[in-house]
Amino acid sequence: MAQFGGRLWLLVAALAVAFHVTRAGLPTIRFKGEQKLPLLEGSNVTLECLTDEPGEDLSGFTFQKYSTWLHTWISLDKVKQLRCWFFDVAISREDRRLWLSISDLQPWHTGLYRCTGSNSTGNASASQELELSVEYLHGILLTRANTWCGTLGDSVTVLEGSTLALECSADASQPPRYQWKREGEAWAEESGALTLAEVSREHTGTYTCKAQHPLVPRLIQTKSIRVFVEGRERAYTLDSVVSLSTPMLALAVALPAVLLLLVVMVVAFLIPRHRAAAKKKAALEETGQRTPIYKGSLESVPSVVADTHPPGDLKREHTG
């Protein structure tokens, strides 16, 4: 009986060891240390891969990022696949630990990350996904609504009595909050669009659009534009030309330049042809050739009939 009990204990111990050996440690991905959130563009972040088996060798584990373009997971430290520099990350292994470091976070770093791999027995496992969100707010773009070339610069000129519709937009990780204000006045328009109907001289002034990130209030961008109002008897002065938007000013300069270029090309094409024709005519005159008497002839036919009647005889014949 004692011998049977000893064999039973040996069997249980062997099964426990086999289970421990064949069981792959479940990986976990997390931020290394105390990471301040939200993550802002330009900041640094480090991710760490761990398993629930203390001291487990992580040489067979790697970090992966989900590619929304390829619709698959990309191993970030596999040479045969897309390399680390493609995603601008650094993988480090030390003391059986695995880290992923990203310096100067950019919008393209946003996405899903995970840790995956296998132990010495080849059993594969993957961690839960960790979503990395990079918050940012870039510069403001001012445009004029209902125009084919609406990008505006620092100023815009409108005719008195017309309607001016301005739109404010900014590239951001989250839809920004917009606000329009006029310099020297207390009113504010909580919108990305500003419409001035029936414009008069009183609307002349500086208008400022402010864009604010909804999750990170300290991320703010502003842009101002000077509005000039001219009467219907508009005079094209230097100030009115300078106040044109950048695209319109470029068009005003480029159109005459294109027309001038076309004229130069036409003249450059016609002058050589004219010179070649003149040289050919001069060469023909030097060789004594005359113009053919009919189309398709190769040589002119010399005249062999002489005038046998003097001018006096011709006159007498006509009078007779």
Side-chain angles (χ1 to χ4, degrees):
M1 185 68 180
Q3 185 179 2
F4 177 76
R7 290 181 179 179
L8 181 60
W9 279 108
L10 288 175
L11 180 60
V12 171
L15 291 175
V17 172
F19 176 78
H20 178 78
V21 171
T22 58
R23 178 179 179 271
L26 294 176
T28 302
I29 185 173
R30 68 181 186 184
F31 292 107
K32 181 182 178 182
E34 296 182 0
Q35 181 67 50
K36 293 183 178 180
L37 298 177
L39 297 174
L40 302 183
E41 182 180 18
S43 60
N44 304 327
V45 66
T46 299
L47 304 181
E48 184 177 8
C49 180
L50 303 171
T51 66
D52 57 357
E53 292 294 322
E56 183 173 358
D57 185 11
L58 298 179
S59 59
F61 287 77
T62 183
F63 284 101
Q64 293 183 336
K65 184 180 187 298
Y66 186 77
S67 173
T68 55
W69 289 0
L70 302 177
H71 300 287
T72 187
W73 287 94
I74 302 298
S75 295
L76 299 179
D77 58 348
K78 296 295 184 180
V79 177
K80 294 183 180 180
Q81 299 184 22
L82 298 179
R83 300 171 182 263
C84 291
W85 54 260
F86 184 85
F87 293 101
D88 196 17
V89 300
I91 306 294
S92 59
R93 302 174 184 272
E94 184 179 354
D95 297 333
R96 294 190 174 186
R97 306 184 73 176
L98 181 62
W99 294 288
L100 180 147
S101 300
I102 306 177
S103 300
D104 190 19
L105 279 170
Q106 297 300 318
W108 60 78
H109 289 126
T110 296
L112 297 176
Y113 293 79
R114 73 179 183 180
C115 179
T116 184
S118 59
N119 62 3
S120 58
T121 64
N123 293 327
S125 58
S127 68
Q128 294 292 327
E129 301 167 358
L130 185 148
E131 184 174 5
L132 203 65
S133 298
V134 181
E135 306 298 341
Y136 62 92
L137 176 63
H138 295 161
I140 290 177
L141 178 67
L142 297 182
T143 57
R144 188 170 181 176
N146 303 322
T147 56
W148 67 273
C149 188
T151 305
L152 298 174
D154 297 329
S155 62
V156 61
T157 300
V158 294
L159 291 177
E160 189 174 7
S162 62
T163 298
L164 176 62
L166 301 176
E167 294 182 353
C168 178
S169 60
D171 180 25
S173 56
Q174 304 289 337
R177 299 190 184 100
Y178 296 103
Q179 182 187 76
W180 278 97
K181 295 188 69 175
R182 181 180 178 181
E183 184 179 8
E185 296 189 6
W187 65 267
E189 181 72 21
E190 302 293 337
S191 173
L194 176 66
T195 302
L196 303 178
E198 297 293 330
V199 174
S200 64
R201 301 297 178 99
E202 297 179 354
H203 289 100
T204 300
T206 301
Y207 297 79
T208 301
C209 176
K210 181 178 73 172
Q212 185 176 35
H213 197 284
L215 301 181
V216 190
R218 66 178 181 273
L219 292 183
I220 297 176
Q221 294 284 349
T222 61
K223 186 175 179 62
S224 299
I225 185 171
R226 179 74 176 174
V227 176
F228 296 95
V229 180
E230 292 188 350
R232 286 293 178 179
E233 62 285 355
R234 179 175 180 177
Y236 289 90
T237 62
L238 179 61
D239 292 338
S240 64
V241 174
V242 173
S243 64
L244 290 175
S245 63
T246 301
M248 295 303 296
L249 185 60
L251 182 62
V253 175
L255 187 58
V258 171
L259 293 177
L260 179 60
L261 179 61
L262 290 176
V263 171
V264 171
M265 292 176 63
V266 171
V267 172
F269 175 75
L270 294 178
I271 288 180
R273 292 176 61 89
H274 177 72
R275 289 179 178 177
K279 289 182 180 180
K280 184 177 180 180
K281 182 178 181 181
L284 292 175
E285 292 178 352
E286 290 179 359
T287 57
Q289 295 183 8
R290 288 176 290 180
T291 305
I293 61 175
Y294 61 91
K295 183 178 180 181
S297 62
L298 299 178
E299 297 181 355
S300 59
V301 179
S303 176
V304 295
V305 179
D307 188 2
T308 57
H309 298 278
D313 295 340
L314 292 175
K315 182 181 294 184
R316 284 194 297 270
E317 291 179 359
H318 286 291
T319 56

